[in-house]
Every structure is written in structure tokens, then in C-alpha cells.
Amino acid sequence: MNLFKKIRRPFKYSYFNAAFLIIGINIAVFLLLKMIPRLAVYLSLNVIFLREGHMYWQFLTYMFVHGNFSHLFFNMLGIFFFGIAVERAIGSKEFLLLYFITGIMGGIISYFVYLLSGGYMYFLMGASGALYGLLFAFAVIFPRNNIYFWGIIPIPAPILVAIYVGIEISSQLLSFRDGVAHLTHLVCFAVAWIYFVVRMGINPWKVWKDAYR
């Protein structure tokens, strides 16, 4: 009981544009890698570099590495739309804790999956896992809000999460070789769910059920 009280002890609310800070760091890393491309090998998450080289920082740094401009642009666009709204709702400290826990846990679990499946040549990179955690948080905090898919089709936030979960599961099971870390995305959805239950004492399913009762 005391443990749960400590885990759920809220931060004093503060807002200091952490989402913009994350976007800025991602852009800075992208520009740095344009000047020093080989650095991406040391910042992305790779089984061999982690196991043999003990480069444990990769569990964090992989989230700031992007393969090309479109990869960076769409992830930063997602952080801009969902991250800022989530940050304003729960405060910058809670936002950062949620963002990094989902992203880091996504990296850790992906590492063990790659290790056990022999995926030694994979290089995990990108903020999309943590972004999926933010999308999940947005759907819990604003369950009645519509998200305009491609800027045209209004979809309730929880329904969009369900659609993405379905896409990621089917893509993972069908082993699509599209260079997308579907498993990491699913892990980050799951971690975000656990975060709301354990850290915030909120059952996402109950929130969504009550919102559309």
C-alpha cells in the first residue's frame, strides 16, 4: 500500500515546453548525424553494440535517431500535436516521465526480442515508440476528442488507438519487411497502459467505456 502511494505521488504541476525541447533535440541530432553519419551506429539500438560494446546509452539515444527527413518530420509532427496537449494536461514532469518510460521500455523489450530471435543486424531508431505512448495518453486524457486522419476523416482518439493496435499486430504477425518496428510500437502501447494503471491509478478501458456509454 505504501509502495503504491509512493509510486502515485503526483509531481507539483509545472509547464516548461518539454515537448518543444524534445523536438529541438531530435532536430539537433538529425543535423549532427548529417555531418557525422557514422555516429548513428553508436546512437541507434543494436544487439551486438549493446551486448559486446556495453553501449547501454542506446536504450535512450535510439529515440533521437531518424533515418531520413520524412521519418523525423512525421514523428515530430505527432509529438507537436499529441505531446503538447498531453503535457499541458498532466504537466511537464509527468509528461517527461511517461515519454521516457515508454520509449526506454520499448527499447529494452525490443532488445531482448532481437537477442532471442537472432536479429543482431537490426538497428532500432526513431521516436515513434514513445510517440505511440503519447497517442495512447491523449486518447485516455481526451477520450471524446476526434483526430482527423490525413486531416480529413474524424476518428475518436480511442478508436484510432484501436486501429493502430490492429495494424501493428497484423503487420507483426504477417512479418512485413517494411523497416518499421511494429513490435516496439505495440510494447509502447502496453507500457503506456500499465503506466496509467500503476502510476496514475486510471483504468483506460473504464475511461473509454464511460466516455461512450
PDB file of all heavy atoms in Angstrom, residues 62-98:
ATOM      1  N   TYR A  62      18.428   5.884 -28.934  1.00  0.00           N
ATOM      2  CA  TYR A  62      17.792   5.427 -30.171  1.00  0.00           C
ATOM      3  C   TYR A  62      16.556   6.254 -30.496  1.00  0.00           C
ATOM      4  O   TYR A  62      16.169   6.405 -31.670  1.00  0.00           O
ATOM      5  CB  TYR A  62      17.436   3.935 -30.084  1.00  0.00           C
ATOM      6  CG  TYR A  62      16.074   3.641 -29.485  1.00  0.00           C
ATOM      7  CD1 TYR A  62      14.942   3.515 -30.303  1.00  0.00           C
ATOM      8  CD2 TYR A  62      15.901   3.511 -28.111  1.00  0.00           C
ATOM      9  CE1 TYR A  62      13.693   3.255 -29.773  1.00  0.00           C
ATOM     10  CE2 TYR A  62      14.651   3.250 -27.571  1.00  0.00           C
ATOM     11  CZ  TYR A  62      13.549   3.123 -28.402  1.00  0.00           C
ATOM     12  OH  TYR A  62      12.308   2.878 -27.867  1.00  0.00           O
ATOM     13  N   MET A  63      15.928   6.824 -29.456  1.00  0.00           N
ATOM     14  CA  MET A  63      14.713   7.601 -29.650  1.00  0.00           C
ATOM     15  C   MET A  63      14.959   8.927 -30.358  1.00  0.00           C
ATOM     16  O   MET A  63      14.016   9.565 -30.828  1.00  0.00           O
ATOM     17  CB  MET A  63      14.050   7.889 -28.289  1.00  0.00           C
ATOM     18  CG  MET A  63      13.510   6.670 -27.596  1.00  0.00           C
ATOM     19  SD  MET A  63      12.560   7.108 -26.122  1.00  0.00           S
ATOM     20  CE  MET A  63      13.863   7.550 -24.991  1.00  0.00           C
ATOM     21  N   PHE A  64      16.212   9.336 -30.444  1.00  0.00           N
ATOM     22  CA  PHE A  64      16.545  10.626 -31.056  1.00  0.00           C
ATOM     23  C   PHE A  64      17.200  10.478 -32.426  1.00  0.00           C
ATOM     24  O   PHE A  64      17.655  11.461 -33.005  1.00  0.00           O
ATOM     25  CB  PHE A  64      17.459  11.419 -30.120  1.00  0.00           C
ATOM     26  CG  PHE A  64      16.812  11.778 -28.818  1.00  0.00           C
ATOM     27  CD1 PHE A  64      16.999  11.000 -27.688  1.00  0.00           C
ATOM     28  CD2 PHE A  64      15.974  12.883 -28.714  1.00  0.00           C
ATOM     29  CE1 PHE A  64      16.396  11.310 -26.483  1.00  0.00           C
ATOM     30  CE2 PHE A  64      15.362  13.210 -27.518  1.00  0.00           C
ATOM     31  CZ  PHE A  64      15.569  12.421 -26.394  1.00  0.00           C
ATOM     32  N   VAL A  65      17.259   9.256 -32.939  1.00  0.00           N
ATOM     33  CA  VAL A  65      17.894   8.988 -34.234  1.00  0.00           C
ATOM     34  C   VAL A  65      16.812   8.720 -35.272  1.00  0.00           C
ATOM     35  O   VAL A  65      15.908   7.916 -35.033  1.00  0.00           O
ATOM     36  CB  VAL A  65      18.848   7.776 -34.144  1.00  0.00           C
ATOM     37  CG1 VAL A  65      19.507   7.516 -35.495  1.00  0.00           C
ATOM     38  CG2 VAL A  65      19.904   7.998 -33.070  1.00  0.00           C
ATOM     39  N   HIS A  66      16.917   9.386 -36.424  1.00  0.00           N
ATOM     40  CA  HIS A  66      15.948   9.188 -37.507  1.00  0.00           C
ATOM     41  C   HIS A  66      16.680   8.975 -38.816  1.00  0.00           C
ATOM     42  O   HIS A  66      17.683   9.625 -39.102  1.00  0.00           O
ATOM     43  CB  HIS A  66      14.996  10.383 -37.591  1.00  0.00           C
ATOM     44  CG  HIS A  66      14.077  10.480 -36.416  1.00  0.00           C
ATOM     45  ND1 HIS A  66      14.448  11.087 -35.236  1.00  0.00           N
ATOM     46  CD2 HIS A  66      12.809  10.002 -36.222  1.00  0.00           C
ATOM     47  CE1 HIS A  66      13.447  11.006 -34.361  1.00  0.00           C
ATOM     48  NE2 HIS A  66      12.447  10.353 -34.941  1.00  0.00           N
ATOM     49  N   GLY A  67      16.131   8.039 -39.614  1.00  0.00           N
ATOM     50  CA  GLY A  67      16.820   7.628 -40.826  1.00  0.00           C
ATOM     51  C   GLY A  67      16.782   8.633 -41.950  1.00  0.00           C
ATOM     52  O   GLY A  67      17.714   8.709 -42.751  1.00  0.00           O
ATOM     53  N   ASN A  68      15.703   9.405 -42.041  1.00  0.00           N
ATOM     54  CA  ASN A  68      15.594  10.395 -43.105  1.00  0.00           C
ATOM     55  C   ASN A  68      14.661  11.517 -42.661  1.00  0.00           C
ATOM     56  O   ASN A  68      14.081  11.469 -41.562  1.00  0.00           O
ATOM     57  CB  ASN A  68      15.092   9.750 -44.403  1.00  0.00           C
ATOM     58  CG  ASN A  68      13.810   8.957 -44.200  1.00  0.00           C
ATOM     59  OD1 ASN A  68      12.834   9.446 -43.644  1.00  0.00           O
ATOM     60  ND2 ASN A  68      13.815   7.699 -44.631  1.00  0.00           N
ATOM     61  N   PHE A  69      14.486  12.497 -43.523  1.00  0.00           N
ATOM     62  CA  PHE A  69      13.703  13.680 -43.147  1.00  0.00           C
ATOM     63  C   PHE A  69      12.239  13.334 -42.879  1.00  0.00           C
ATOM     64  O   PHE A  69      11.646  13.843 -41.926  1.00  0.00           O
ATOM     65  CB  PHE A  69      13.796  14.753 -44.233  1.00  0.00           C
ATOM     66  CG  PHE A  69      12.977  15.977 -43.917  1.00  0.00           C
ATOM     67  CD1 PHE A  69      13.416  16.898 -42.981  1.00  0.00           C
ATOM     68  CD2 PHE A  69      11.746  16.176 -44.537  1.00  0.00           C
ATOM     69  CE1 PHE A  69      12.643  18.020 -42.667  1.00  0.00           C
ATOM     70  CE2 PHE A  69      10.971  17.294 -44.233  1.00  0.00           C
ATOM     71  CZ  PHE A  69      11.430  18.216 -43.297  1.00  0.00           C
ATOM     72  N   SER A  70      11.631  12.483 -43.719  1.00  0.00           N
ATOM     73  CA  SER A  70      10.214  12.154 -43.524  1.00  0.00           C
ATOM     74  C   SER A  70      10.001  11.404 -42.205  1.00  0.00           C
ATOM     75  O   SER A  70       8.999  11.619 -41.514  1.00  0.00           O
ATOM     76  CB  SER A  70       9.677  11.342 -44.695  1.00  0.00           C
ATOM     77  OG  SER A  70      10.336  10.100 -44.797  1.00  0.00           O
ATOM     78  N   HIS A  71      10.950  10.528 -41.863  1.00  0.00           N
ATOM     79  CA  HIS A  71      10.895   9.812 -40.581  1.00  0.00           C
ATOM     80  C   HIS A  71      10.894  10.811 -39.430  1.00  0.00           C
ATOM     81  O   HIS A  71      10.065  10.729 -38.502  1.00  0.00           O
ATOM     82  CB  HIS A  71      12.112   8.879 -40.484  1.00  0.00           C
ATOM     83  CG  HIS A  71      12.078   7.938 -39.323  1.00  0.00           C
ATOM     84  ND1 HIS A  71      13.216   7.333 -38.825  1.00  0.00           N
ATOM     85  CD2 HIS A  71      11.050   7.493 -38.550  1.00  0.00           C
ATOM     86  CE1 HIS A  71      12.891   6.572 -37.810  1.00  0.00           C
ATOM     87  NE2 HIS A  71      11.581   6.646 -37.625  1.00  0.00           N
ATOM     88  N   LEU A  72      11.784  11.785 -39.492  1.00  0.00           N
ATOM     89  CA  LEU A  72      11.860  12.828 -38.467  1.00  0.00           C
ATOM     90  C   LEU A  72      10.604  13.686 -38.473  1.00  0.00           C
ATOM     91  O   LEU A  72      10.003  13.930 -37.413  1.00  0.00           O
ATOM     92  CB  LEU A  72      13.096  13.700 -38.711  1.00  0.00           C
ATOM     93  CG  LEU A  72      13.231  14.948 -37.837  1.00  0.00           C
ATOM     94  CD1 LEU A  72      13.629  14.571 -36.415  1.00  0.00           C
ATOM     95  CD2 LEU A  72      14.251  15.921 -38.428  1.00  0.00           C
ATOM     96  N   PHE A  73      10.199  14.135 -39.650  1.00  0.00           N
ATOM     97  CA  PHE A  73       9.096  15.093 -39.765  1.00  0.00           C
ATOM     98  C   PHE A  73       7.801  14.551 -39.167  1.00  0.00           C
ATOM     99  O   PHE A  73       7.145  15.223 -38.361  1.00  0.00           O
ATOM    100  CB  PHE A  73       8.879  15.465 -41.240  1.00  0.00           C
ATOM    101  CG  PHE A  73       7.709  16.378 -41.458  1.00  0.00           C
ATOM    102  CD1 PHE A  73       7.805  17.738 -41.183  1.00  0.00           C
ATOM    103  CD2 PHE A  73       6.495  15.878 -41.918  1.00  0.00           C
ATOM    104  CE1 PHE A  73       6.716  18.586 -41.367  1.00  0.00           C
ATOM    105  CE2 PHE A  73       5.400  16.713 -42.106  1.00  0.00           C
ATOM    106  CZ  PHE A  73       5.513  18.075 -41.831  1.00  0.00           C
ATOM    107  N   PHE A  74       7.421  13.338 -39.543  1.00  0.00           N
ATOM    108  CA  PHE A  74       6.140  12.811 -39.074  1.00  0.00           C
ATOM    109  C   PHE A  74       6.165  12.480 -37.586  1.00  0.00           C
ATOM    110  O   PHE A  74       5.154  12.656 -36.889  1.00  0.00           O
ATOM    111  CB  PHE A  74       5.727  11.600 -39.910  1.00  0.00           C
ATOM    112  CG  PHE A  74       5.261  11.974 -41.291  1.00  0.00           C
ATOM    113  CD1 PHE A  74       6.034  11.694 -42.399  1.00  0.00           C
ATOM    114  CD2 PHE A  74       4.063  12.647 -41.458  1.00  0.00           C
ATOM    115  CE1 PHE A  74       5.607  12.065 -43.669  1.00  0.00           C
ATOM    116  CE2 PHE A  74       3.621  13.027 -42.726  1.00  0.00           C
ATOM    117  CZ  PHE A  74       4.397  12.737 -43.840  1.00  0.00           C
ATOM    118  N   ASN A  75       7.310  12.035 -37.076  1.00  0.00           N
ATOM    119  CA  ASN A  75       7.400  11.797 -35.630  1.00  0.00           C
ATOM    120  C   ASN A  75       7.314  13.109 -34.858  1.00  0.00           C
ATOM    121  O   ASN A  75       6.644  13.184 -33.826  1.00  0.00           O
ATOM    122  CB  ASN A  75       8.700  11.068 -35.288  1.00  0.00           C
ATOM    123  CG  ASN A  75       8.603   9.574 -35.507  1.00  0.00           C
ATOM    124  OD1 ASN A  75       7.528   9.017 -35.654  1.00  0.00           O
ATOM    125  ND2 ASN A  75       9.739   8.903 -35.530  1.00  0.00           N
ATOM    126  N   MET A  76       7.996  14.144 -35.353  1.00  0.00           N
ATOM    127  CA  MET A  76       7.954  15.435 -34.662  1.00  0.00           C
ATOM    128  C   MET A  76       6.569  16.071 -34.780  1.00  0.00           C
ATOM    129  O   MET A  76       6.100  16.735 -33.844  1.00  0.00           O
ATOM    130  CB  MET A  76       9.013  16.380 -35.233  1.00  0.00           C
ATOM    131  CG  MET A  76      10.455  15.917 -35.017  1.00  0.00           C
ATOM    132  SD  MET A  76      10.858  15.512 -33.291  1.00  0.00           S
ATOM    133  CE  MET A  76      10.728  13.708 -33.302  1.00  0.00           C
ATOM    134  N   LEU A  77       5.908  15.853 -35.907  1.00  0.00           N
ATOM    135  CA  LEU A  77       4.545  16.359 -36.069  1.00  0.00           C
ATOM    136  C   LEU A  77       3.619  15.715 -35.041  1.00  0.00           C
ATOM    137  O   LEU A  77       2.776  16.381 -34.431  1.00  0.00           O
ATOM    138  CB  LEU A  77       4.051  16.063 -37.490  1.00  0.00           C
ATOM    139  CG  LEU A  77       2.750  16.743 -37.922  1.00  0.00           C
ATOM    140  CD1 LEU A  77       2.924  18.251 -37.973  1.00  0.00           C
ATOM    141  CD2 LEU A  77       2.309  16.213 -39.289  1.00  0.00           C
ATOM    142  N   GLY A  78       3.796  14.413 -34.828  1.00  0.00           N
ATOM    143  CA  GLY A  78       2.990  13.716 -33.830  1.00  0.00           C
ATOM    144  C   GLY A  78       3.255  14.229 -32.425  1.00  0.00           C
ATOM    145  O   GLY A  78       2.324  14.421 -31.636  1.00  0.00           O
ATOM    146  N   ILE A  79       4.538  14.454 -32.102  1.00  0.00           N
ATOM    147  CA  ILE A  79       4.870  14.988 -30.782  1.00  0.00           C
ATOM    148  C   ILE A  79       4.282  16.387 -30.613  1.00  0.00           C
ATOM    149  O   ILE A  79       3.807  16.751 -29.534  1.00  0.00           O
ATOM    150  CB  ILE A  79       6.401  15.004 -30.576  1.00  0.00           C
ATOM    151  CG1 ILE A  79       6.931  13.567 -30.486  1.00  0.00           C
ATOM    152  CG2 ILE A  79       6.778  15.785 -29.308  1.00  0.00           C
ATOM    153  CD1 ILE A  79       8.440  13.466 -30.424  1.00  0.00           C
ATOM    154  N   PHE A  80       4.301  17.167 -31.698  1.00  0.00           N
ATOM    155  CA  PHE A  80       3.739  18.515 -31.646  1.00  0.00           C
ATOM    156  C   PHE A  80       2.246  18.473 -31.336  1.00  0.00           C
ATOM    157  O   PHE A  80       1.763  19.183 -30.448  1.00  0.00           O
ATOM    158  CB  PHE A  80       3.992  19.231 -32.978  1.00  0.00           C
ATOM    159  CG  PHE A  80       3.414  20.614 -33.037  1.00  0.00           C
ATOM    160  CD1 PHE A  80       4.064  21.687 -32.442  1.00  0.00           C
ATOM    161  CD2 PHE A  80       2.205  20.845 -33.683  1.00  0.00           C
ATOM    162  CE1 PHE A  80       3.530  22.974 -32.488  1.00  0.00           C
ATOM    163  CE2 PHE A  80       1.660  22.120 -33.740  1.00  0.00           C
ATOM    164  CZ  PHE A  80       2.326  23.190 -33.139  1.00  0.00           C
ATOM    165  N   PHE A  81       1.500  17.639 -32.044  1.00  0.00           N
ATOM    166  CA  PHE A  81       0.051  17.609 -31.866  1.00  0.00           C
ATOM    167  C   PHE A  81      -0.375  16.914 -30.581  1.00  0.00           C
ATOM    168  O   PHE A  81      -1.216  17.426 -29.839  1.00  0.00           O
ATOM    169  CB  PHE A  81      -0.612  16.934 -33.069  1.00  0.00           C
ATOM    170  CG  PHE A  81      -0.715  17.828 -34.269  1.00  0.00           C
ATOM    171  CD1 PHE A  81      -0.051  17.520 -35.436  1.00  0.00           C
ATOM    172  CD2 PHE A  81      -1.472  18.990 -34.223  1.00  0.00           C
ATOM    173  CE1 PHE A  81      -0.134  18.351 -36.545  1.00  0.00           C
ATOM    174  CE2 PHE A  81      -1.564  19.831 -35.328  1.00  0.00           C
ATOM    175  CZ  PHE A  81      -0.896  19.514 -36.495  1.00  0.00           C
ATOM    176  N   PHE A  82       0.185  15.748 -30.305  1.00  0.00           N
ATOM    177  CA  PHE A  82      -0.247  14.976 -29.140  1.00  0.00           C
ATOM    178  C   PHE A  82       0.553  15.324 -27.889  1.00  0.00           C
ATOM    179  O   PHE A  82       0.007  15.401 -26.793  1.00  0.00           O
ATOM    180  CB  PHE A  82      -0.144  13.476 -29.430  1.00  0.00           C
ATOM    181  CG  PHE A  82      -0.953  13.046 -30.614  1.00  0.00           C
ATOM    182  CD1 PHE A  82      -0.355  12.434 -31.698  1.00  0.00           C
ATOM    183  CD2 PHE A  82      -2.318  13.253 -30.646  1.00  0.00           C
ATOM    184  CE1 PHE A  82      -1.098  12.037 -32.801  1.00  0.00           C
ATOM    185  CE2 PHE A  82      -3.082  12.871 -31.742  1.00  0.00           C
ATOM    186  CZ  PHE A  82      -2.464  12.263 -32.825  1.00  0.00           C
ATOM    187  N   GLY A  83       1.849  15.527 -28.061  1.00  0.00           N
ATOM    188  CA  GLY A  83       2.719  15.781 -26.915  1.00  0.00           C
ATOM    189  C   GLY A  83       2.383  17.054 -26.179  1.00  0.00           C
ATOM    190  O   GLY A  83       2.320  17.077 -24.940  1.00  0.00           O
ATOM    191  N   ILE A  84       2.154  18.130 -26.924  1.00  0.00           N
ATOM    192  CA  ILE A  84       1.857  19.416 -26.279  1.00  0.00           C
ATOM    193  C   ILE A  84       0.551  19.332 -25.498  1.00  0.00           C
ATOM    194  O   ILE A  84       0.453  19.807 -24.363  1.00  0.00           O
ATOM    195  CB  ILE A  84       1.808  20.547 -27.325  1.00  0.00           C
ATOM    196  CG1 ILE A  84       3.204  20.788 -27.900  1.00  0.00           C
ATOM    197  CG2 ILE A  84       1.258  21.832 -26.706  1.00  0.00           C
ATOM    198  CD1 ILE A  84       3.247  21.784 -29.040  1.00  0.00           C
ATOM    199  N   ALA A  85      -0.476  18.708 -26.090  1.00  0.00           N
ATOM    200  CA  ALA A  85      -1.770  18.579 -25.404  1.00  0.00           C
ATOM    201  C   ALA A  85      -1.639  17.744 -24.135  1.00  0.00           C
ATOM    202  O   ALA A  85      -2.178  18.102 -23.077  1.00  0.00           O
ATOM    203  CB  ALA A  85      -2.792  17.951 -26.353  1.00  0.00           C
ATOM    204  N   VAL A  86      -0.904  16.614 -24.223  1.00  0.00           N
ATOM    205  CA  VAL A  86      -0.699  15.756 -23.058  1.00  0.00           C
ATOM    206  C   VAL A  86       0.111  16.486 -21.990  1.00  0.00           C
ATOM    207  O   VAL A  86      -0.210  16.433 -20.796  1.00  0.00           O
ATOM    208  CB  VAL A  86      -0.005  14.442 -23.470  1.00  0.00           C
ATOM    209  CG1 VAL A  86       0.438  13.644 -22.236  1.00  0.00           C
ATOM    210  CG2 VAL A  86      -0.940  13.589 -24.330  1.00  0.00           C
ATOM    211  N   GLU A  87       1.143  17.187 -22.417  1.00  0.00           N
ATOM    212  CA  GLU A  87       1.992  17.900 -21.461  1.00  0.00           C
ATOM    213  C   GLU A  87       1.204  18.970 -20.711  1.00  0.00           C
ATOM    214  O   GLU A  87       1.357  19.132 -19.494  1.00  0.00           O
ATOM    215  CB  GLU A  87       3.183  18.539 -22.180  1.00  0.00           C
ATOM    216  CG  GLU A  87       4.134  19.251 -21.225  1.00  0.00           C
ATOM    217  CD  GLU A  87       5.274  19.972 -21.933  1.00  0.00           C
ATOM    218  OE1 GLU A  87       5.349  19.893 -23.180  1.00  0.00           O
ATOM    219  OE2 GLU A  87       6.077  20.628 -21.237  1.00  0.00           O
ATOM    220  N   ARG A  88       0.377  19.709 -21.432  1.00  0.00           N
ATOM    221  CA  ARG A  88      -0.434  20.745 -20.772  1.00  0.00           C
ATOM    222  C   ARG A  88      -1.407  20.128 -19.765  1.00  0.00           C
ATOM    223  O   ARG A  88      -1.698  20.712 -18.731  1.00  0.00           O
ATOM    224  CB  ARG A  88      -1.206  21.553 -21.815  1.00  0.00           C
ATOM    225  CG  ARG A  88      -0.343  22.516 -22.614  1.00  0.00           C
ATOM    226  CD  ARG A  88      -1.195  23.437 -23.481  1.00  0.00           C
ATOM    227  NE  ARG A  88      -0.384  24.324 -24.283  1.00  0.00           N
ATOM    228  CZ  ARG A  88       0.150  25.452 -23.851  1.00  0.00           C
ATOM    229  NH1 ARG A  88      -0.051  25.829 -22.586  1.00  0.00           N
ATOM    230  NH2 ARG A  88       0.867  26.218 -24.645  1.00  0.00           N
ATOM    231  N   ALA A  89      -1.890  18.940 -20.076  1.00  0.00           N
ATOM    232  CA  ALA A  89      -2.879  18.299 -19.208  1.00  0.00           C
ATOM    233  C   ALA A  89      -2.270  17.730 -17.933  1.00  0.00           C
ATOM    234  O   ALA A  89      -2.855  17.842 -16.852  1.00  0.00           O
ATOM    235  CB  ALA A  89      -3.607  17.196 -19.981  1.00  0.00           C
ATOM    236  N   ILE A  90      -1.095  17.099 -18.044  1.00  0.00           N
ATOM    237  CA  ILE A  90      -0.526  16.398 -16.881  1.00  0.00           C
ATOM    238  C   ILE A  90       0.718  17.072 -16.312  1.00  0.00           C
ATOM    239  O   ILE A  90       1.224  16.649 -15.273  1.00  0.00           O
ATOM    240  CB  ILE A  90      -0.206  14.930 -17.230  1.00  0.00           C
ATOM    241  CG1 ILE A  90       0.892  14.834 -18.297  1.00  0.00           C
ATOM    242  CG2 ILE A  90      -1.456  14.198 -17.680  1.00  0.00           C
ATOM    243  CD1 ILE A  90       1.303  13.399 -18.644  1.00  0.00           C
ATOM    244  N   GLY A  91       1.209  18.107 -16.987  1.00  0.00           N
ATOM    245  CA  GLY A  91       2.411  18.790 -16.511  1.00  0.00           C
ATOM    246  C   GLY A  91       3.661  18.240 -17.167  1.00  0.00           C
ATOM    247  O   GLY A  91       3.702  17.081 -17.600  1.00  0.00           O
ATOM    248  N   SER A  92       4.681  19.058 -17.228  1.00  0.00           N
ATOM    249  CA  SER A  92       5.898  18.695 -17.965  1.00  0.00           C
ATOM    250  C   SER A  92       6.655  17.529 -17.337  1.00  0.00           C
ATOM    251  O   SER A  92       7.187  16.670 -18.049  1.00  0.00           O
ATOM    252  CB  SER A  92       6.822  19.917 -18.065  1.00  0.00           C
ATOM    253  OG  SER A  92       6.195  20.956 -18.773  1.00  0.00           O
ATOM    254  N   LYS A  93       6.715  17.469 -16.010  1.00  0.00           N
ATOM    255  CA  LYS A  93       7.467  16.392 -15.350  1.00  0.00           C
ATOM    256  C   LYS A  93       6.808  15.038 -15.592  1.00  0.00           C
ATOM    257  O   LYS A  93       7.481  14.052 -15.901  1.00  0.00           O
ATOM    258  CB  LYS A  93       7.592  16.673 -13.852  1.00  0.00           C
ATOM    259  CG  LYS A  93       8.439  17.892 -13.515  1.00  0.00           C
ATOM    260  CD  LYS A  93       8.442  18.177 -12.022  1.00  0.00           C
ATOM    261  CE  LYS A  93       9.224  19.448 -11.707  1.00  0.00           C
ATOM    262  NZ  LYS A  93       9.166  19.780 -10.263  1.00  0.00           N
ATOM    263  N   GLU A  94       5.492  14.997 -15.451  1.00  0.00           N
ATOM    264  CA  GLU A  94       4.762  13.746 -15.692  1.00  0.00           C
ATOM    265  C   GLU A  94       4.871  13.350 -17.166  1.00  0.00           C
ATOM    266  O   GLU A  94       5.023  12.170 -17.505  1.00  0.00           O
ATOM    267  CB  GLU A  94       3.291  13.900 -15.308  1.00  0.00           C
ATOM    268  CG  GLU A  94       2.535  12.601 -15.137  1.00  0.00           C
ATOM    269  CD  GLU A  94       2.931  11.863 -13.869  1.00  0.00           C
ATOM    270  OE1 GLU A  94       2.901  12.470 -12.780  1.00  0.00           O
ATOM    271  OE2 GLU A  94       3.269  10.670 -13.982  1.00  0.00           O
ATOM    272  N   PHE A  95       4.803  14.345 -18.023  1.00  0.00           N
ATOM    273  CA  PHE A  95       4.943  14.114 -19.460  1.00  0.00           C
ATOM    274  C   PHE A  95       6.292  13.483 -19.790  1.00  0.00           C
ATOM    275  O   PHE A  95       6.371  12.495 -20.534  1.00  0.00           O
ATOM    276  CB  PHE A  95       4.785  15.442 -20.210  1.00  0.00           C
ATOM    277  CG  PHE A  95       5.271  15.428 -21.624  1.00  0.00           C
ATOM    278  CD1 PHE A  95       4.478  14.915 -22.644  1.00  0.00           C
ATOM    279  CD2 PHE A  95       6.524  15.920 -21.948  1.00  0.00           C
ATOM    280  CE1 PHE A  95       4.926  14.906 -23.957  1.00  0.00           C
ATOM    281  CE2 PHE A  95       6.981  15.915 -23.252  1.00  0.00           C
ATOM    282  CZ  PHE A  95       6.182  15.397 -24.262  1.00  0.00           C
ATOM    283  N   LEU A  96       7.359  14.036 -19.234  1.00  0.00           N
ATOM    284  CA  LEU A  96       8.699  13.510 -19.495  1.00  0.00           C
ATOM    285  C   LEU A  96       8.855  12.099 -18.948  1.00  0.00           C
ATOM    286  O   LEU A  96       9.464  11.231 -19.591  1.00  0.00           O
ATOM    287  CB  LEU A  96       9.758  14.433 -18.886  1.00  0.00           C
ATOM    288  CG  LEU A  96       9.981  15.767 -19.602  1.00  0.00           C
ATOM    289  CD1 LEU A  96      10.906  16.652 -18.787  1.00  0.00           C
ATOM    290  CD2 LEU A  96      10.553  15.549 -21.008  1.00  0.00           C
ATOM    291  N   LEU A  97       8.303  11.853 -17.760  1.00  0.00           N
ATOM    292  CA  LEU A  97       8.384  10.510 -17.176  1.00  0.00           C
ATOM    293  C   LEU A  97       7.658   9.500 -18.066  1.00  0.00           C
ATOM    294  O   LEU A  97       8.195   8.419 -18.361  1.00  0.00           O
ATOM    295  CB  LEU A  97       7.775  10.506 -15.773  1.00  0.00           C
ATOM    296  CG  LEU A  97       7.900   9.203 -14.984  1.00  0.00           C
ATOM    297  CD1 LEU A  97       9.362   8.863 -14.723  1.00  0.00           C
ATOM    298  CD2 LEU A  97       7.136   9.303 -13.654  1.00  0.00           C
ATOM    299  N   LEU A  98       6.458   9.849 -18.503  1.00  0.00           N
ATOM    300  CA  LEU A  98       5.686   8.977 -19.393  1.00  0.00           C
ATOM    301  C   LEU A  98       6.443   8.736 -20.701  1.00  0.00           C
ATOM    302  O   LEU A  98       6.569   7.593 -21.157  1.00  0.00           O
ATOM    303  CB  LEU A  98       4.329   9.606 -19.682  1.00  0.00           C
ATOM    304  CG  LEU A  98       3.493   8.979 -20.801  1.00  0.00           C
ATOM    305  CD1 LEU A  98       3.064   7.564 -20.408  1.00  0.00           C
ATOM    306  CD2 LEU A  98       2.269   9.843 -21.107  1.00  0.00           C
TER     307      LEU A  98
END
